[in-house]
């Protein structure tokens, strides 16, 4: 029996009839850019997140980039980012002409360590960009407090945390803007690229609406140098179908995480820890082992798909070569990169498969 790390197709197959009819509705409407389907999804996503506004954009990277642009982040500015994240978080800052300033994570939660942020603030800092990594909500209150003290914006990267709650309240409106990705593998995934921002600030929402559409509110009147980054109505229609299932899928992920944690409690692996104020979305279930590479190899041989999120931290990527970060600059991020392993996680897996994963992990650690 092989157990795939992820199977996107299962998500479509389960909802095929509903998704096919939603897609047909868009095709038959004759409306293929923005329009009623995108507006309906924006309303539903804002309502789900408990925010006043949602704006659909083309993908998660654009959601981050347009959020920063809407806040006026540009050349010469600095934005504080986690040292361990998917590179999109850093690229969004760089694409605004600003500089990402990395801060190390708390090794227990994998999320940016709020206590290290203040020391990284300079007169050029404009914003803090925490990431709710692996679906675990960041400890936002201390970050919002530092931001308030220094007059900084807080933009959250929610790409892995659809539906997660911080102190009982869904993510989406704690900071100034939250950026979302609907890449197919995310907890709420389209059947192609998609993204959105949520905010309670009507001016920020309005600026992003204009920026995503060539800087234009009225056709052929261009107020600012905007972008073409619109959520596709076909994807909006798919997302509306899937949104109705998100809570149920997340609940299934939470049960799986709980079962993994009890099944692997005696394994000697470092398992995810969840603070009591957090209701994670369990995008990934990430374990740590000093013998990670051997463990992954053995699991592959046993037919268990795993992935590493992420093998190379952004500061050591060719993309940031010009910044000349040395190996050892961010030792926590580097240690996590060398030890972390993501086990199969998601509603595509059944109980039996989850048990098999546990058994194969334990068997691999013994050999
Ligand atoms: C997926 C992801 C993104 C980027 O989303 P895209 O839609 O692929 O552009 C940004 N940040 C994080 C943490 C992600 O996981």
């Amino acid at each position: 029996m092989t157990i795939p790390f992820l199977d996107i197709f299962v998500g479509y197959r389960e909802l095929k009839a509903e998704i096919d009819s939603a897609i047909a509705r868009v095709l038959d409407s004759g409306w293929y850019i923005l329009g009623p389907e995108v507006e309906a999804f924006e309303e539903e996503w804002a309502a789900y997140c408990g925010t006043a506004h949602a704006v659909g954009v083309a993908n998660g990277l654009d959601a981050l980039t347009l959020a920063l642009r809407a806040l006026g982040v540009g050349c010469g500015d600095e934005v504080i980012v986690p040292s361990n994240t998917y590179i999109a978080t850093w690229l969004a800052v760089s694409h605004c002409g600003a500089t990402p300033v990395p801060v190390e994570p708390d090794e227990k939660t994998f999320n940016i360590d709020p206590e290290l942020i203040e020391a990284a603030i300079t007169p050029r800092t404009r914003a803090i960009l925490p990431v709710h990594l692996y679906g675990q909500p960041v400890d936002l209150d201390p970050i919002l407090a530092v931001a308030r003290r220094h007059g900084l914006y807080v933009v959250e990267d929610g790409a892995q945390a659809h539906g997660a709650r911080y102190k009982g309240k869904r993510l989406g409106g704690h900071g100034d803007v939250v950026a979302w990705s609907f890449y197919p593998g995310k907890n709420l995934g389209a059947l192609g690229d998609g993204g959105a921002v949520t905010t309670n600030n009507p001016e920020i929402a309005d600026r992003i609406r204009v920026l995503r559409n060539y800087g234009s509110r009225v056709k052929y009147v261009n107020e600012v140098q905007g972008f073409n980054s619109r959520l596709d109505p076909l994807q909006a229609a798919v997302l509306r179908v899937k949104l109705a299932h998100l809570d149920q899928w997340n609940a299934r992920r939470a049960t799986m995480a709980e079962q993994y944690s009890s099944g692997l409690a005696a394994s000697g692996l470092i398992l995810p820890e969840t603070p009591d104020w957090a209701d994670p979305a369990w995008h990934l279930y990430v374990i740590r082992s000093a013998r990670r590479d051997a463990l992954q190899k053995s699991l592959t041989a046993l037919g268990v798909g795993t992935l590493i999120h992420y093998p190379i931290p952004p500061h050591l990527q060719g993309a940031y070569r010009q910044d000349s970060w040395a190996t050892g600059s961010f030792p926590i991020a580097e240690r996590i990169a060398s030890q972390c392993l993501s086990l199969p996680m998601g509603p595509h897996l059944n109980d039996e498969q989850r048990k098999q994963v546990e058994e194969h992990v334990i068997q691999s650690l013994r050999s």
Side-chain angles (χ1 to χ4, degrees):
M1 176 157 88
T2 67
I3 300 169
F5 177 76
L6 180 67
D7 188 347
I8 306 275
F9 185 64
V10 169
Y12 171 57
R13 207 175 48 208
E14 258 179 42
L15 303 174
K16 184 171 168 37
E18 264 183 281
I19 289 175
D20 287 356
S21 89
I23 287 174
R25 181 176 73 230
V26 176
L27 296 181
D28 289 336
S29 77
W31 202 314
Y32 307 134
I33 297 289
L34 295 176
E37 206 68 49
V38 172
E39 284 165 26
F41 173 69
E42 288 174 340
E43 268 173 39
E44 288 160 19
W45 183 237
Y48 179 86
C49 294
T51 57
H53 310 278
V55 183
V57 297
N59 55 62
L61 174 59
D62 284 4
L64 286 163
T65 310
L66 298 189
L68 293 168
R69 292 248 182 192
L71 298 173
V73 172
C75 284
D77 293 336
E78 293 177 357
V79 176
I80 291 174
V81 295
S83 55
N84 65 321
T85 179
Y86 181 54
I87 197 164
T89 317
W90 286 42
L91 288 176
V93 177
S94 303
H95 289 334
C96 293
T99 304
V101 175
V103 164
E104 289 266 70
D106 172 344
E107 213 157 346
K108 282 209 191 94
T109 62
F110 300 109
N111 276 330
I112 193 167
D113 188 339
E115 297 198 354
L116 303 179
I117 289 176
E118 198 145 29
I121 294 172
T122 75
R124 292 171 177 268
T125 310
R126 295 292 307 277
I128 307 172
L129 206 177
V131 179
H132 303 287
L133 200 66
Y134 308 154
Q136 304 284 334
V138 169
D139 193 2
L140 284 165
D141 283 345
I143 294 176
L144 294 167
V146 173
R148 226 172 285 124
R149 275 203 298 284
H150 293 268
L152 306 175
Y153 294 111
V154 174
V155 176
E156 299 159 55
D157 183 337
Q160 302 189 356
H162 313 79
R165 290 173 193 264
Y166 176 65
K167 298 189 176 171
K169 190 174 155 228
R170 279 219 184 98
L171 299 179
H174 293 85
D176 295 287
V177 194
V178 181
W180 304 96
S181 163
F182 303 121
Y183 179 82
K186 310 292 191 189
N187 288 30
L188 178 61
L191 298 177
D193 279 308
V197 298
T198 51
T199 178
N200 284 314
N201 182 322
E203 281 155 37
I204 296 173
D206 183 63
R207 259 177 256 151
I208 294 171
R209 245 175 240 293
V210 171
L211 280 173
R212 76 169 171 185
N213 191 29
Y214 284 107
S216 166
R217 214 180 289 272
V218 175
K219 207 170 172 71
Y220 306 132
V221 180
N222 304 91
E223 300 169 22
V224 291
Q225 294 178 358
F227 300 81
N228 178 352
S229 180
R230 301 173 290 225
L231 178 62
D232 184 328
L234 285 168
Q235 300 304 337
V238 170
L239 288 166
R240 293 181 69 194
V241 173
K242 289 195 164 191
L243 178 54
H245 300 265
L246 177 59
D247 280 343
Q248 179 201 324
W249 288 333
N250 278 348
R252 172 130 186 81
R253 287 173 182 272
T255 306
M256 282 192 68
E258 216 172 283
Q259 289 166 327
Y260 268 149
S261 291
S262 65
L264 297 172
S267 66
L269 295 169
I270 303 176
L271 303 178
E273 277 186 45
T274 303
D276 50 13
W277 43 255
D279 291 304
W282 291 106
H283 176 57
L284 298 170
Y285 187 89
V286 179
I287 56 104
R288 279 177 61 189
S289 166
R291 293 165 49 214
R292 190 267 316 273
D293 292 340
L295 175 59
Q296 184 177 39
K297 205 165 158 223
S298 167
L299 287 172
T300 306
L302 291 165
V304 176
T306 58
L307 285 176
I308 297 169
H309 299 91
Y310 297 89
I312 306 169
H315 69 281
L316 298 178
Q317 296 281 3
Y320 286 94
R321 183 185 300 118
Q322 70 283 3
D323 294 353
S324 313
W325 295 108
T327 300
S329 304
F330 298 100
I332 301 178
E334 290 170 30
R335 192 154 54 237
I336 291 171
S338 70
Q339 297 185 342
C340 70
L341 188 67
S342 306
L343 301 182
M345 160 59 77
H348 68 288
L349 296 172
N350 60 37
D351 253 13
E352 182 157 344
Q353 291 172 308
R354 192 255 317 148
K355 266 187 227 142
Q356 283 269 311
V357 173
E358 286 167 21
E359 280 164 25
H360 287 331
V361 167
I362 290 163
Q363 181 187 340
S364 301
L365 290 170
R366 280 207 198 102
S367 60

